[in-house]
Amino acid sequence: MAQRTPSSTTKKTARAATPAKSATKTAATRATAQKTAAHKTAVAKKATAKKTSTAKTAAPRSAVAAAAERAGGERARRRSTPLLAGSETTAPPTKKTTASAASRPTSSRRASRPAAPVGGSAPTSGSTKGTSRPARTTRTTRAAGAPALRVVDGEGTGTRRPRRATTPRPRVATAPTTPSPASAPAEGTPSSGTALAPGVAELLSVALSAGQVASRTIGGAVSNAAGEEWERRLGEVLSFLRRRVQGDYSVDDFGFDEDFTLHTAFPVLRLLKDRWFRVEVRGIENIPATGGALVVSNHSGTIALDSVMTQLAIHDAHPQHRFLRMLGADLVFQLPVVGDFARKTGATLATNPDAERLMTSGELVGVWPEGFKGVGKPFRERYKLQRFGRGGFVAAAIRSEVPIIPCSVVGAEEIYPMVGNAKTLARLLGAPYAPITPTFPFLGPLGLVPLPSKWIIEFSPPVDTASLGPAAADDPALVFDLTDQVRETIQQTLYSVLMTRRSVFF
């Protein structure tokens, strides 16, 4: 019996092991295939679930976008891409971008993302390795006047697809809905029917709001500082300007402009009367409420401010706010500016016919019989009355049968203390005098500022002339006696007021 060699034994062992190895390989291959199938099934389920959730998420956004589209009156350029996107609007691709996308090859191992669903939801993840994938497509919203949409396929070649014909969707009447913040139109998208460019309306509204706030703030600050009186004065000024422009004012035969006097002259003079001279009025009850009367006053002060202060004091203190019609000298109306101002504020030429006409018509007339002799007297002769002339004012009052009211003004002598008179200069200028005061002409224009003396204006009881009759005006003795009576009344009143005055400036 032949013995078995080792080589034969080894061959038999190898033959016996070969079926076992093949069986092991088959089992491993089957296990790998099962794992691959299971993995594919799981990935497919995940992809299906994500697609379902994406569709559910995109559906309400697409509905809201379509509703906004119909409300704005705009049509979608393409059915798959509405004009009102959920989050962002992709700009049209440039040539460089398209070329780079076309030249970029698609790797078989790299997972490609499908096109984003309508509404801007996140794309689903790709499948596992070795699974076939659809070609990657890039879509952009085509604006008006932009080139046609460019599609980049999976092999890296760029082609231009022709524009598909779209049919306008019919409008369906739907109930108005309030869009949520997530589905609102993107910022910068103008609404339908807006005529202004985006941002202009907002700028205008902000500017108007700022102007209203500023006006309210400034008006409130000024109102708090000046009070309600400021608003009333502002309204009066605006009304005055409107009347002057429209010519809605009247002037009498003597040139008196009541509207100009109340709203232009008196407000300026009132600052001097109330704040600078601090005028105190006494005996205002002696001025009649109605009817004509003649007010006779002393004259002083180098510059005739006492006449306008007396006029304003009567208007402000009298219950009926009567106007004093002043009688002035010829020189007053010959000056270019002063003459027009005097006419408009109620002054007229100091003549008997004009005075009688005013008093007969029921006006309150004022006269200063001293004239330039009283205004230009030196400071050492202060409060000493000069001659009253020939008594023409008394004769005019008798003919008009109106009372004569003596008036005494204390404080006007100290506003421009006249310490000298340049007579030569006065003759050259044609003026009655050329005053020299402690402040003028040494301080120049600053010397024209009056000193803030304390004023007291007192009206004495009236002197009756109606009982004498108009014929008494032709009796010179009666006229002179009545003139001296009025002069002595004013002089005695001046002395009595000076005795009670505490100080020149207080």
Side-chain angles (χ1 to χ4, degrees), residues 13-185:
T13 305
R15 292 191 191 101
T18 299
K21 288 182 180 180
S22 61
T24 303
K25 289 182 179 180
T26 304
T29 302
R30 290 177 180 176
T32 302
Q34 290 178 358
K35 289 181 180 181
T36 303
H39 183 68
K40 290 181 179 180
T41 305
V43 170
K45 289 182 179 181
K46 289 181 180 180
T48 304
K50 288 185 177 182
K51 288 181 180 180
T52 305
S53 61
T54 302
K56 291 181 179 180
T57 306
R61 294 189 178 181
S62 301
V64 172
E69 216 173 50
R70 291 191 298 270
E74 299 177 354
R75 297 182 305 176
R77 297 296 182 184
R78 297 184 66 87
R79 294 180 181 273
S80 60
T81 306
L83 286 179
L84 297 179
S87 58
E88 296 181 356
T89 303
T90 307
T94 60
K95 294 182 179 180
K96 294 182 179 180
T97 306
T98 307
S100 61
S103 62
R104 198 184 313 144
T106 306
S107 176
S108 59
R109 294 184 179 181
R110 183 177 177 182
S112 61
R113 299 181 180 178
V118 178
S121 59
T124 58
S125 61
S127 58
T128 58
K129 182 178 179 181
T131 307
S132 60
R133 299 175 179 83
R136 182 165 55 91
T137 304
T138 303
R139 295 184 183 275
T140 54
T141 303
R142 180 175 179 267
L149 298 177
R150 183 175 297 276
V151 180
V152 181
D153 58 12
E155 281 109 29
T157 59
T159 59
R160 183 184 297 272
R161 293 184 179 179
R163 181 179 177 183
R164 293 186 300 176
T166 57
T167 304
R169 299 180 181 179
R171 296 187 179 182
V172 181
T174 58
T177 59
T178 303
S180 61
S183 61

Side-chain angles (χ1 to χ4, degrees), residues 419 436-447:
V419 297
I436 299 175
T437 67
T439 58
F440 182 83
F442 306 107
L443 297 181
L446 189 61

Side-chain angles (χ1 to χ4, degrees), residues 295-344:
V295 177
V296 182
S297 176
N298 62 312
H299 216 16
S300 61
T302 306
I303 295 179
L305 291 180
D306 53 356
S307 58
V308 293
M309 289 295 107
T310 303
Q311 180 192 29
L312 183 58
I314 292 175
H315 178 270
D316 290 348
H318 199 275
Q320 278 69 35
H321 302 289
R322 301 197 65 179
F323 288 97
L324 181 65
R325 307 296 298 272
M326 301 171 290
L327 301 179
D330 299 345
L331 181 61
V332 176
F333 300 98
Q334 293 175 1
L335 299 176
V337 177
V338 178
D340 295 338
F341 183 83
R343 283 286 185 186
K344 288 181 178 296

Side-chain angles (χ1 to χ4, degrees), residues 233-289:
R233 291 180 179 178
L234 179 60
E236 292 179 355
V237 170
L238 295 178
S239 300
F240 169 75
L241 294 177
R242 179 184 57 80
R243 289 193 300 271
R244 304 308 290 192
V245 171
Q246 297 178 352
D248 188 15
Y249 60 94
S250 60
V251 179
D252 66 359
D253 297 339
F254 296 93
F256 174 53
D257 190 345
E258 181 178 346
D259 188 54
F260 173 82
T261 303
L262 287 176
H263 299 96
T264 302
F266 279 2
V268 177
L269 297 174
R270 194 171 284 115
L271 295 176
L272 289 175
K273 168 184 169 290
D274 297 336
R275 302 299 177 87
W276 195 250
F277 298 140
R278 306 174 304 280
V279 177
E280 179 184 348
V281 181
R282 300 176 183 176
I284 193 64
E285 65 277 0
N286 292 322
I287 296 179

